[in-house]
Amino acid sequence: MNIGIIGAGNIGAELARKLSAAGHSVKLANSRGPESLKDIVEGTTISAVAREDVATDADVVILSMPFARNGEAASLVAHAPAGAILVDTSNYYPMRDGRIDDVESGKPETVWASEQVGRSLIKAWNAILSQTLVEAGVAPGTSGRIAIPIAGDDLAAKRVVAELVSATGFDTVDAGELVDSWRFQPGSPAYCTELTISELEAALSNASKDRSPANRDAIMQAITDGEVPMTRAAMAANNRLMSGPPGS
Ligand SMILES: NC(=O)c1ccc[n+]([C@@H]2O[C@H](COP(=O)([O-])OP(=O)(O)OC[C@H]3O[C@@H](n4cnc5c(N)ncnc54)[C@H](OP(=O)(O)O)[C@@H]3O)[C@@H](O)[C@H]2O)c1
């Protein structure tokens, strides 16, 4: 497939590496231009492009930008073919992104992002730590394979995205339509907790729309205060502890 990725940070660059290694044709763009991506694309088949060119012939466009900047992608995805599938990896952290009243009032983050972009988005790869994405992918069928949730309003598009997630090393659980995607926002038991399919299904059903934002902020405070070592294992364990265990 032709895949365009907007955002070349922790998540976008790693998705580019994994999806190109899986045989897809990947274009990668950031805000500073292709020259700034030389180190990332060197020795790979990834093409570094200007962001205006990233979506032109894409089957799938992945947005991996800071949450509040999703609107800046509207003019970029306007160049995408009408049938292109658009994916959002972003998460809302008010202390980083600034307070967004619609989201604070309960609008699911990717519903808000879809409105900013002007196209319906599939939510995927948001509920996985970047270290987990780098280190923990395994082949389909491997015992204990970590699963991540996806949500969106187009079933066929979700199937395509599930295949791509699998190519990056992870199982998926379909968490429903975009309006249901609050179930795996930051602070929920499904968010960055490294669960298998059955554990993730329980975590999604155990999510609380009311508790998640406070959990999210408490987790960020604990990290800021140095109470959580910045290792993958410690962060995932702390997320499990502070977001409530799956199924309880
Ligand atoms: N880090 C994680 O563990 C993790 C896990 C899951 C989901 N997420 C979410 O995924 C998103 C990306 O996270 P990240 O950690 O990869 O972020 P990051 O390292 O800060 O990278 C953000 C990328 O977005 C690019 N960007 C910003 N505005 C842009 C624009 N207008 N046009 C094109 N590119 C633009 C930046 O390019 P420049 O540097 O050139 O400006 C940069 O390459 C965030 O919303 C985050 O919450 C993160």
Side-chain angles (χ1 to χ4, degrees), residues 5-13 28-33 36-37 40 51 63-73 76 88-93 96-97 124-133 186 191-192 235:
I5 302 179
I6 304 176
N10 300 298
I11 297 293
L28 182 64
N30 61 5
S31 72
R32 287 167 292 144
S36 66
L37 297 170
I40 293 173
R51 57 183 165 169
L63 307 179
S64 193
M65 302 159 60
F67 182 73
R69 298 186 68 175
N70 273 310
E72 295 171 36
L76 308 178
D88 171 34
T89 79
S90 68
N91 293 301
Y92 170 59
Y93 283 93
R96 179 194 65 186
D97 299 312
W125 287 295
N126 75 299
I128 183 167
L129 294 168
S130 60
Q131 294 95 322
T132 310
L133 181 64
Y191 180 77
C192 297
M235 288 195 287

Side-chain angles (χ1 to χ4, degrees), residues 148-152 155 158-159 172-177 184 201 204:
I148 59 173
I150 61 175
L155 206 52
K158 276 194 285 194
R159 286 201 197 101
T172 48
V173 170
D174 185 341
E177 298 183 350
F184 56 102
E201 286 169 343
L204 287 164

